[in-house]
Amino acid sequence: ILDSNLRNSKRWLLKKDGEDVIIEVDGGFLVNSARAACALAVASRGISFSPMFAISEHLRTGDLVTLLDGYEGNPSPVSAVYLEGRRLPKKVRALIDFASEDIKSADVY
C-alpha cells in the first residue's frame, strides 16, 4: 500500500541500529492518507508503512501487527503555518488542536 504523502512512496526509508535502510516497494494501492493506508491494511489488502497516529489503536487491539521489528521510521515534523497578527479562525484553531491531540495520543503504544 503506497502512501503519496511520503516523499517517495515507493522507497521506505528506515533505520536499523542507527543505519539508514531503504526498502524498495511496489503496490496495488496508492492512497493520499495514512488512515486510508491503515484501513486497507486492517482489511488485509496489503502492507502499509504508516505513522503511529494512524495505526496505534489497531496495534493495541491486534488488528495490525508489526513486520519489521527492530527497524524504525525517520521522524517527520508536523507544522501548522498561518499568518502572524491575523486573528485565527475558530475552525482552524480547532483543527490544529484536534490534530495535535490526535498525534500525541499515538505515543502511548
Side-chain angles (χ1 to χ4, degrees):
I1 303 166
L2 307 176
D3 185 345
S4 65
N5 289 305
L6 299 174
R7 185 175 305 262
N8 184 340
S9 61
K10 292 189 173 194
R11 294 181 66 168
W12 294 350
L13 180 58
L14 304 170
K15 284 199 180 294
K16 180 163 177 99
D17 301 324
E19 298 290 323
D20 286 341
V21 177
I22 296 173
I23 300 175
E24 301 282 342
V25 296
D26 200 5
F29 292 99
L30 176 63
V31 298
N32 65 355
S33 162
R35 293 197 192 274
C38 175
L40 286 166
V42 168
S44 300
R45 303 298 295 186
I47 298 169
S48 171
F49 177 47
S50 297
M52 287 302 293
F53 76 85
I55 64 170
S56 61
E57 181 61 27
H58 295 288
L59 290 171
R60 272 194 291 278
T61 63
D63 293 334
L64 291 176
V65 296
T66 58
L67 296 178
L68 297 172
D69 294 326
Y71 290 81
E72 299 176 350
N74 290 310
S76 297
V78 176
S79 303
V81 180
Y82 49 90
L83 293 173
E84 183 181 36
R86 287 195 166 179
R87 190 171 65 81
L88 194 61
K90 289 180 183 179
K91 61 185 174 185
V92 174
R93 176 81 262 162
L95 174 63
I96 292 169
D97 293 343
F98 172 79
S100 177
E101 289 303 313
D102 191 42
I103 291 168
K104 286 179 190 174
S105 71
D107 291 341
V108 296
Y109 179 77

